[in-house]
Amino acid sequence: MKDQIKLLCSDIDGTLLNAKRDIAPETASAINKLPAGFPVILASSRMPSAMYYLQEKLNRLGSPIISYNGGLVLDANGTKLRSHTVSLDFLATVIEHQKEYDYNISTYCTDTWRTAKVDYWTLREIRSTRVEPVLTPINEHIAILEAIDEQPHKIMCMGSPQALDSLIEVLQEKHGNEAHFYRSKDVYVEITPKNIDKSSALDELIEKKYQLSLNQVIAFGDNFNDTTMIKKVGFGVAVANATQEVKDVADHVSAFTNKEHAVAKTLEEFILN
C-alpha cells in the first residue's frame, strides 16, 4: 500500500488538530517526513482563511484547499476550481425564521464571514478559526450580497437545539432538497448546497491538478461529512473519536484520537515505516 498512496487528504477539526485545536509538533513532523512533492490537501467545512495558517504550520502553504465540505475548491493562486452556493431566497427564509428565535446567523461567501454582532457564538468561532467576521446588520445582509453579486457557500446557525430543529423543519418545508443540513453538534447547523461532498471535490481536484485517482489517496476523518471521502479513497482512516458511521466504512480505525496524534501515528505505521 505504501507505494500505491501518492496523496494525503485530511479533515481538520476533530481529526488533524490536537486538544488545543492546533497542529501538534508530532503531526507536523510526520507530514514533513513524507517524500518531496507528496501533496497534502486539507478538506474542511471551514472557510479558506481558517485553513491557511494550518497549511503554513505544515509547510504546505500554497497547496489547493477544499472548503465548505466541498462547496468551494481553490488552487494555489486562490482561483476557484469549483464553487457551489445557496440561494439568497434560502437565506431570506433563515433570516425571517430567526426573528422569532435568538440564534446567530453567519454567512460565508468565498473567503468572507459575515454576522450581525459579536456574541457568545461569534467569539467561539473567532477562537476556533482565528478569523474575524465582517459585522453586517441582519436587515442589510441580503442587500449587501446582492450588491456584490455573491451568494453563500455556507450558512451557519448557532443557538439552542430547539430553535435549530424548528429552522430545519421550516427550510425543508419551504425549500425541499435545495440544501444539505449538517449538525456537528446540537447547537450548530451548517447549511451547504445539495449534492456536494468532500469526496467528489477531492476527486475533481486531484484528477485536474495531479492526474491521480482516489485509489491513490490516504484520507483521515472523524464525522458524518467525512464518510463518503473515507469510503471512496484507497485507504480511508477513521480516528478513534470518529462517529460509528465513519468507522464502519474505514479501511483502518486508529487506536488513537485526534488528541493523541492519530494522523501522525497512522502515517508512521503505514506510509513512513
Side-chain angles (χ1 to χ4, degrees):
M1 186 206 56
K2 178 179 177 180
D3 294 332
Q4 173 196 341
I5 299 301
K6 304 296 182 183
L7 183 144
L8 182 155
C9 183
S10 182
D11 170 58
I12 294 177
D13 297 286
T15 302
L16 188 69
L17 303 188
N18 61 13
K20 297 179 181 178
R21 304 197 74 166
D22 203 353
I23 300 290
E26 293 88 344
T27 301
S29 175
I31 286 177
N32 285 322
K33 290 177 186 175
L34 291 168
F38 195 103
V40 175
I41 305 297
L42 301 183
S44 174
S45 64
R46 291 185 176 210
M47 64 190 293
S49 287
M51 301 168 72
Y52 292 141
Y53 77 95
L54 298 172
Q55 285 186 318
E56 188 170 10
K57 291 191 172 192
L58 296 171
N59 292 319
R60 291 301 195 281
L61 191 60
S63 297
I65 58 172
I66 297 172
S67 294
Y68 307 127
N69 289 329
L72 178 67
V73 179
L74 301 178
D75 69 10
N77 300 314
T79 301
K80 294 178 183 178
L81 301 179
R82 181 191 230 215
S83 179
H84 297 277
T85 57
V86 179
S87 72
L88 293 182
D89 285 344
F90 194 100
L91 176 58
T93 302
V94 177
I95 291 172
E96 184 64 26
H97 178 271
Q98 192 244 20
K99 291 177 181 178
E100 300 180 22
Y101 295 88
D102 182 22
Y103 58 86
N104 178 285
I105 299 174
S106 291
T107 66
Y108 298 83
C109 303
T110 307
D111 202 20
T112 301
W113 167 26
R114 293 180 178 87
T115 193
K117 60 185 178 180
V118 177
D119 58 11
Y120 167 79
W121 302 104
T122 305
L123 290 172
R124 279 184 60 152
E125 285 303 297
I126 291 171
R127 286 194 297 269
S128 296
T129 65
R130 306 186 188 186
V131 176
E132 295 283 340
V134 176
L135 297 181
T136 306
I138 195 69
N139 60 336
E140 299 176 14
H141 209 123
I142 290 177
I144 287 171
L145 295 183
E146 285 177 333
I148 60 174
D149 194 26
E150 282 266 24
Q151 296 187 146
H153 287 91
K154 182 175 80 169
I155 302 169
M156 184 157 71
C157 300
M158 298 171 280
S160 74
Q162 295 78 12
L164 300 185
D165 288 343
S166 173
L167 171 64
I168 290 175
E169 286 182 12
V170 169
L171 291 174
Q172 288 176 331
E173 181 180 342
K174 291 196 70 172
H175 295 277
N177 292 323
E178 182 182 334
H180 176 73
F181 309 100
Y182 170 61
R183 297 286 285 271
S184 56
K185 296 179 181 178
D186 284 347
V187 293
Y188 287 82
V189 59
E190 297 180 24
I191 302 165
T192 54
K194 198 71 174 177
N195 301 323
I196 63 157
D197 59 40
K198 293 180 182 180
S199 66
S200 60
L202 177 62
D203 190 23
E204 189 176 325
L205 169 62
I206 65 174
E207 183 179 1
K208 288 180 180 178
K209 174 74 177 175
Y210 303 105
Q211 291 76 55
L212 296 174
S213 70
L214 290 178
N215 287 334
Q216 296 171 287
V217 174
I218 181 172
F220 297 84
D222 75 304
N223 219 327
F224 302 106
N225 58 335
D226 300 315
T227 306
T228 55
M229 177 176 72
I230 298 302
K231 182 178 181 179
K232 291 183 178 182
V233 298
F235 194 65
V237 181
V239 294
N241 53 291
T243 64
Q244 192 59 46
E245 179 180 341
V246 178
K247 291 179 178 179
D248 287 345
V249 300
D251 297 296
H252 173 69
V253 177
S254 175
F256 305 99
T257 68
N258 63 305
K259 298 175 183 179
E260 299 167 317
H261 324 306
V263 172
K265 289 175 179 175
T266 302
L267 291 177
E268 295 283 0
E269 180 178 357
F270 292 99
I271 304 298
L272 300 173
N273 188 355

